[in-house]
Amino acid sequence: MAMATATRPMFEGATAALSVRPRPDFVETPAVRDLTKRALAYLAAGFPVHFRGAAGTGKTTLALHVAAQLGRPVMLIAGDEEFATSDLIGGQYGYRYRKVIDQFIHSVLKYEEDATQRWVDHRLTTACREGFTLVYDEFTRSRPEANNVLLGVLEEQLLILPTTSRDDAIVKVHPDFRAIFTSNPQEYAGVHEAQDALSDRLVTMDLDFYDRETEIAITTAQSGLPSEGATRIVDLVRDFRASGEYDQTPTLRSCIMIAKVTAMQGLRPSAQDAQFVCICLDVLESKTAFTSKARERRPQQRKMLLSLIEHHCGG
């Protein structure tokens, strides 16, 4: 990813929280600082933030970076088609047994035994109880009915649990609890449209591809390639992105892939280096769908890519 945060588990188990802190090599250009500052302002006011954008725009990494600024443990959830509400809040798992033997009077034996169902918290419940930061990555991959439990959490600051214990049926959300969501509106497979009631409770920030300077800075930091070489690769990928000759948009990840392999192999980002050219073609030609119609476009696409490589890396 363009940006990264270091994480480590605070404790083991299904509800393990993460201690998240910004990495020393985190790239923070004016564009990134502006996004972070705005998101933190919304969270400070008590509003959950939703980063929405296409693949490769840095949604998850930005969410973790913003979470790190809050200084609280993080509960990370990845949306899943198979999720039910119980996967977020927990449920009744197993039994707790109690046995009492009373021999206060030596000649009289009183014996009592009962069993109660045992409630186990999952990530959302733990975050609400403890005041952790919830990062719900790709939340629209979960079915809307699974996410309905979030409505009361985000609005009334109450989490209602389906437990038989009256004492534990309602969890009052900790005042330090914050929530950050991410989603990709361009995905169509396995993605659900978020219900209006939930979307209305979120401050949605749409993320697009970063400006040229930011992409160069991130590619340089993540690959170890000198800035001059990273600039050539970023300009190549950006021009390919602008061409529209692909089925899957070439993102910043493409820049990092090409630059990192180039640096690790000790290559020059030059059109005269056959191995470098092959790396560019391997990464970028794959952005065309593998169908008979798409394969017909491959010769034309390769010709265009070779022309872009020569243009940006010919010197």
Side-chain angles (χ1 to χ4, degrees):
M1 289 296 297
M3 303 168 288
T5 30
T7 61
R8 59 182 174 84
M10 294 187 63
F11 53 90
E12 301 299 326
T15 56
L18 298 173
S19 176
V20 184
R21 59 190 183 278
R23 282 181 51 170
D25 61 350
F26 184 85
V27 176
E28 214 175 19
T29 63
V32 176
R33 280 195 295 270
D34 178 64
L35 287 169
T36 302
K37 182 179 178 181
R38 285 158 51 200
L40 288 172
Y42 298 134
L43 291 166
F47 299 113
V49 170
H50 170 206
F51 292 123
R52 181 173 62 184
T57 52
K59 302 180 299 296
T60 304
T61 309
L62 184 59
L64 289 172
H65 175 66
V66 170
Q69 311 308 306
L70 298 175
R72 298 288 297 167
V74 170
M75 275 294 178
L76 179 62
I77 300 175
D80 191 295
E81 168 71 24
E82 300 300 319
F83 266 5
T85 301
S86 60
D87 293 297
L88 297 175
I89 63 174
Q92 308 280 4
Y93 297 97
Y95 290 86
R96 180 180 289 109
Y97 295 93
R98 185 173 69 95
K99 182 190 294 185
V100 178
I101 300 175
D102 184 357
Q103 286 185 296
F104 183 74
I105 301 174
H106 75 278
S107 59
V108 178
L109 174 63
K110 291 184 178 180
Y111 179 85
E112 294 180 10
E113 185 174 1
D114 59 31
T116 57
Q117 282 191 301
R118 179 172 172 265
W119 175 269
V120 178
D121 288 345
H122 278 184
R123 287 180 173 87
L124 175 59
T125 306
T126 301
C128 290
R129 289 189 197 274
E130 304 296 333
F132 295 166
T133 300
L134 175 73
V135 176
Y136 197 164
D137 194 34
E138 302 290 359
F139 80 101
T140 52
R141 291 183 184 274
S142 302
R143 295 191 301 272
E145 55 267 29
N147 291 331
N148 279 338
V149 69
L150 289 161
L151 302 180
V153 171
L154 301 179
E155 186 70 26
E156 288 79 23
Q157 301 295 296
L158 294 175
L159 174 60
I160 301 174
L161 303 177
T163 175
T164 55
S165 172
R166 288 180 295 179
D167 295 335
D168 297 328
I170 297 179
V171 175
K172 187 174 181 180
V173 177
H174 193 286
D176 289 336
F177 172 82
R178 296 292 183 270
I180 304 172
F181 298 78
T182 75
S183 74
N184 182 349
Q186 294 184 1
E187 296 252 15
Y188 60 89
V191 172
H192 303 274
E193 187 173 353
Q195 60 269 54
D196 289 344
L198 179 55
S199 296
D200 192 49
R201 289 163 166 79
L202 311 178
V203 177
T204 298
M205 301 175 66
D206 287 316
L207 303 186
D208 203 346
F209 296 107
Y210 288 114
D211 58 88
R212 178 175 178 267
E213 288 69 26
T214 299
E215 290 196 337
I216 292 171
I218 293 172
T219 301
T220 302
Q222 294 293 312
S223 68
L225 196 68
S227 179
E228 181 184 356
T231 299
R232 292 185 174 196
I233 293 169
V234 167
D235 287 342
L236 162 64
V237 174
R238 287 174 68 89
D239 270 7
F240 182 44
R241 188 188 304 156
S243 73
E245 292 294 325
Y246 48 78
D247 296 288
Q248 179 186 351
T249 305
T251 69
L252 182 57
R253 286 193 181 97
S254 297
C255 300
I256 295 171
M257 287 178 185
I258 296 171
K260 191 166 186 176
V261 176
T262 299
M264 290 183 66
Q265 295 296 315
L267 306 176
R268 289 180 59 247
S270 169
Q272 280 70 53
D273 191 316
Q275 192 172 348
F276 171 75
V277 173
C278 285
I279 293 169
C280 293
L281 294 177
D282 285 341
V283 172
L284 298 177
E285 277 192 313
S286 63
K287 303 304 177 184
T288 300
F290 199 71
T291 62
S292 57
K293 186 176 181 180
R295 286 199 297 272
E296 293 174 2
R297 292 163 42 202
R298 282 294 177 90
Q300 178 184 349
Q301 184 193 58
R302 171 167 287 214
K303 183 178 179 181
M304 181 198 65
L305 281 171
L306 289 172
S307 175
L308 288 176
I309 294 169
E310 179 64 34
H311 175 70
H312 292 288
C313 307

